[in-house]
Amino acid sequence: MSLPTRDALRATTPPTYRWTRHVALIVAFAAAGLAICLRVLGGLHARDAVVLVVGFLITNLGEYVAHRWPLHRPMFPRAVYERHVREHHAFFTYETMAVDAWPEIRWVLFPPWALPLLVATIVPLALLIGALLGARSAWLFVLVVIAYYALYEVLHALAHLPDDAPLARVGAVRALTHHHRVHHDPALMQRWNFNFAIPLFDALFATRYEGAPASRSGGQDHVDQIRPAAGERLFQRSDQRVGGFDAHSIDAHAARQGDEVDRRR
Ligand SMILES: [Zn+2]
Ligand SMILES: [Zn+2]
C-alpha cells in the first residue's frame, strides 16, 4: 500500500473546509493565549530573561521529542503519526515543498484545536514550575510555549510557500527553513532534522543533517548527495531505502528505528 498522492489527499478535503477560517482560528487562539499571559504578567521585565531562556530550551526539547517519536513512529497516539507522515510528509517532499494553492495550507498547519490541546498538556508542568519557582515563572513558561507554537506555524508555512512567493524569496527565510526541507526527504525524515528553526537538540543528539543541494534526482542518489553535519555519520544508510513513498517500508523503518532506540536503553 502506497502513501496517498496529492490528488488523493486533496479529495479528502471536506467541502465545508475554509483555509481562511483555519488560519483565523489559529491566529485567534494564539493571540488570545499570548494576551492572557501578558495581562496576568503585567508585561515582561528584564528579570524574566532567565526563565524565558530556560522555557525556550524546554520547549525546543519538547518539539524535538514530539517530532522524533510520536510524529514519526507508529506509536500512541497513532493519529498524530498518521497525520504527520501519511499526510504532511506524503504531500510535501524535498522536491515538492510548496503548496499549489492556499487551501493546501491545510496540510501544513496544525489543526486549530492543537494549541488548546498543547496548553492543556503543559498544565501539569506549569503547575510544577509554579510550585517550585512561583506563579510568574509558570505564566512565563506558558507564554513561551504559545509564542514558540505561533513562530513554528509561521515559519513552517513559509517553508511550504512556492519559491516565487515574495516572502519565500527572502534569503533568510530559505536559510531558516532549509533544515526542515532536508527533513522532508523521504529517505531522511525518520532520522534527521527534527527541530525546526533552531536545531539545538538535533545538534545535541547528533540528528542534524547539513547540505542538500538545491537540485537532486530521485532514489538513493538523494542520500549520497547530502552530507551529514560534521562529526556525524549516516545512520545505517542501506536502511534508509524507504521505497519512495511505500507506506509499509516507512512503517517498518520507523519500527526498526524504535527497536534500535529500545536496544540502546
Ligand atoms: Zn513541513
Ligand atoms: Zn516530520
Side-chain angles (χ1 to χ4, degrees):
M1 180 176 67
S2 297
L3 284 182
T5 63
R6 278 195 165 195
D7 281 341
L9 285 167
R10 289 182 183 117
T12 66
T13 303
T16 55
Y17 176 78
R18 298 289 180 271
W19 73 272
T20 47
R21 181 175 58 206
H22 189 167
V23 172
L25 281 171
I26 288 176
V27 170
F29 282 139
L34 292 173
I36 291 169
C37 290
L38 287 171
R39 185 175 177 84
V40 171
L41 289 163
L44 297 177
H45 306 292
R47 67 175 186 275
D48 298 326
V50 172
V51 175
L52 290 173
V53 170
V54 173
F56 170 83
L57 292 174
I58 293 171
T59 309
N60 197 257
L61 174 61
E63 175 203 43
Y64 180 90
V65 169
H67 192 182
R68 181 168 179 176
W69 283 287
L71 266 66
H72 271 279
R73 285 176 55 190
M75 58 193 286
F76 178 83
R78 173 95 184 196
V80 298
Y81 168 82
E82 295 285 337
R83 183 179 175 90
H84 188 70
V85 169
R86 293 177 177 276
E87 293 187 13
H88 184 61
H89 277 278
F91 206 91
F92 301 104
T93 71
Y94 186 92
E95 285 80 11
T96 57
M97 281 290 281
V99 295
D100 288 334
W102 281 113
E104 293 176 1
I105 204 78
R106 174 174 181 239
W107 285 282
V108 177
L109 301 172
F110 288 118
W113 45 260
L115 179 57
L117 182 65
L118 174 64
V119 172
T121 303
I122 65 165
V123 162
L125 183 54
L127 289 173
L128 178 65
I129 292 171
L132 295 174
L133 302 173
R136 185 170 184 85
S137 295
W139 280 102
L140 285 168
F141 173 66
V142 175
L143 175 79
V144 168
V145 170
I146 296 173
Y148 193 105
Y149 167 88
L151 182 65
Y152 180 95
E153 290 283 51
V154 170
L155 290 176
H156 195 205
L158 291 176
H160 290 289
L161 286 183
D163 287 341
D164 58 352
L167 271 175
R169 286 207 299 264
V170 176
V173 171
R174 280 294 155 232
L176 211 55
T177 56
H178 176 77
H179 186 78
H180 183 63
R181 188 179 182 194
V182 172
H183 172 72
H184 268 278
D185 188 312
L188 302 177
M189 67 178 182
Q190 296 295 96
R191 179 64 179 88
W192 303 102
N193 294 5
F194 298 104
N195 271 139
F196 192 76
I198 305 178
L200 293 177
F201 289 92
D202 277 318
L204 192 65
F205 296 129
T207 56
R208 180 165 173 249
Y209 218 109
E210 290 179 337
S215 61
R216 304 177 312 147
S217 57
Q220 183 68 8
D221 289 347
H222 288 198
V223 179
D224 293 335
Q225 292 175 30
I226 301 177
R227 293 174 288 103
E232 298 166 8
R233 66 181 177 80
L234 213 56
F235 178 80
Q236 295 202 348
R237 180 172 295 196
S238 62
D239 278 352
Q240 294 188 357
R241 288 180 183 275
V242 291
F245 287 115
D246 182 73
H248 174 74
S249 297
I250 291 174
D251 286 351
H253 181 79
R256 282 199 303 278
Q257 184 179 336
D259 291 344
E260 298 208 13
V261 169
D262 292 341
R263 277 204 297 275
R264 284 200 294 271
R265 285 187 180 130

